[in-house]
Amino acid sequence: MQYVLISACLLGHPVRYDGRSAPRDHEVLARWRDEGRIVPVCPEVAGGMPIPRPPAEIEPGADAAAVLGGRARVMAVSGEDATVPFVHGAQLALAAARERGIRIAVLKEGSPSCGSGYVYDGSFSGQRQPGVGVTAQLLADAGVRVFSEWQWTEAAACLARLEAGDGL
């Protein structure tokens, strides 16, 4: 059986920066839960960040690949450099995926760790920009297919292809 890595906040765990969760209710998620496929992950908490914690964003003009390459930082609104725990948490998420042979992840959109379609622009003004978070980037670079919490049907179709032997 293939396991699926899922952001813990989407499962109702209060691990977000503001101490809240972002639970999602979808038939695919319910089925995966019943089948025992879910491996929860919160890279930021795994990386050592507290709950709650100041909001953080990737520096303006940079992206997750630059953070992973040591050319950019993840900064908290308080001015604190949060790069180390973000990268460490991403590495731990990848280790969890590798340990279970996980090839699919459903992660929280917009997060500087987990975003897969957009992240915030680093100005803390609420401005979105196309891009991915640090964990999403590291997982994708390692061959894990990353979906947002709005793509359950697509993730389920990908899992079905994978289990049928058709690849990602």
Side-chain angles (χ1 to χ4, degrees), residues 62-120:
D63 61 15
V67 172
L68 290 167
R71 299 180 312 277
R73 299 175 300 171
V74 178
M75 298 299 294
V77 69
S78 61
E80 178 185 357
D81 185 341
T83 306
V84 170
F86 270 77
V87 171
H88 182 61
Q91 292 166 339
L92 292 172
L94 178 57
R98 286 183 169 155
E99 182 178 307
R100 298 239 181 146
I102 293 173
R103 309 227 358 242
I104 294 174
V106 179
L107 303 178
K108 178 71 183 104
E109 188 62 272
S111 160
S113 288
C114 297
S116 60
Y118 73 85
V119 292
Y120 292 91

Side-chain angles (χ1 to χ4, degrees), residues 16-63:
R16 289 173 46 87
Y17 73 93
D18 58 5
R20 296 182 181 179
S21 64
R24 297 295 176 252
D25 184 28
H26 194 279
E27 64 187 44
V28 170
L29 177 59
R31 183 173 71 245
W32 287 349
R33 186 176 283 137
D34 291 345
E35 294 169 351
R37 292 184 184 272
I38 296 172
V39 175
V41 64
C42 177
E44 294 171 28
V45 173
M49 302 288 291
I51 305 167
R53 56 192 169 274
E57 297 182 3
I58 296 170
E59 288 183 304
D63 61 15

